[in-house]
Amino acid sequence: NLLFDLGNVIVDIDIPGAHQRLNQLLRPDAQQDLIQKVLQDYECGRISTDLFINGLISQSHRDVQALDIIEVWNSILIGAPKHRLKMLEDMKTRYPVYLLSNTNAMHVEWLHRYFLRQHQVDSFEDRYFTGVYYSHVVGDRKPNASIFQFLIEDTGLDPRRTLFLDDLQENLDTARTLGFHTHLVEPSLDVADYLRNEGY
């Protein structure tokens, strides 16, 4: 089996830029603990998109509107080059291919629009993956071992026969304790090149 992360593995993202743009919306006295709670609650599906937006607006400058939050929040997403999608198609003909991503409803909606507009793909999840596990749907997030256990039980896959590819070492560390083979995806080597070099 192949198990992929989404951001910075399949889809290019701009975390530093998005954080900088978000911080420009926030008041100097914004409660960082509250903001982190809102972010994690949204990522785990514990609050709605409206509550997420309102939570950030409550910590923002007075002139910030919901559309400003949406634009900045979605600015983290850049897109996916065609060769990575071709790689996923090829992999799926030879292996069960799964996706495990810490994400949220707003970003998934953006990705659906993006894949339809840019790649004429109207069902990203069904086309490229055997199974998809989004944190906001599962109600859990990496690096918690519990989200990996949920995936194992739901799919029946054997971690010892599964390669997990992620861009964060802490996520890989948890997966390794459960028996997964792991690879850290770094900017210097595209995941498609790595898999080809390794003979997948």
Side-chain angles (χ1 to χ4, degrees), residues 109-183:
E109 289 171 8
W110 186 95
L111 286 169
H112 286 166
R113 293 193 299 270
Y114 164 80
F115 280 110
L116 183 59
R117 180 183 71 250
Q118 194 70 23
H119 297 290
Q120 294 73 55
V121 172
D122 63 0
S123 184
F124 165 72
E125 292 88 354
D126 292 340
R127 178 154 178 182
Y128 298 112
F129 300 99
T130 309
V132 171
Y133 294 83
Y134 290 139
S135 60
H136 71 289
V137 176
V138 177
D140 201 352
R141 67 192 294 275
K142 299 175 292 184
N144 298 339
S146 48
I147 195 169
F148 291 96
Q149 293 283 14
F150 177 85
L151 182 146
I152 292 166
E153 292 169 11
D154 196 58
T155 62
L157 64 76
D158 182 351
R160 296 167 300 179
R161 298 176 61 83
T162 305
L163 174 63
F164 174 46
L165 305 106
D166 198 290
D167 67 320
L168 294 178
Q169 189 62 52
E170 62 178 349
N171 297 336
L172 299 174
D173 291 343
T174 299
R176 196 175 295 116
T177 66
L178 297 171
F180 287 89
H181 299 274
T182 62
H183 171 68

Side-chain angles (χ1 to χ4, degrees), residues 3 15 42 63-64 85 89 98-100 109 118 123 135 140 152 170 183 187:
L3 176 60
I15 294 175
Y42 189 46
D63 61 342
V64 171
L85 301 184
E89 275 190 325
Y98 296 94
L99 181 70
L100 177 63
E109 289 171 8
Q118 194 70 23
S123 184
S135 60
D140 201 352
I152 292 166
E170 62 178 349
H183 171 68

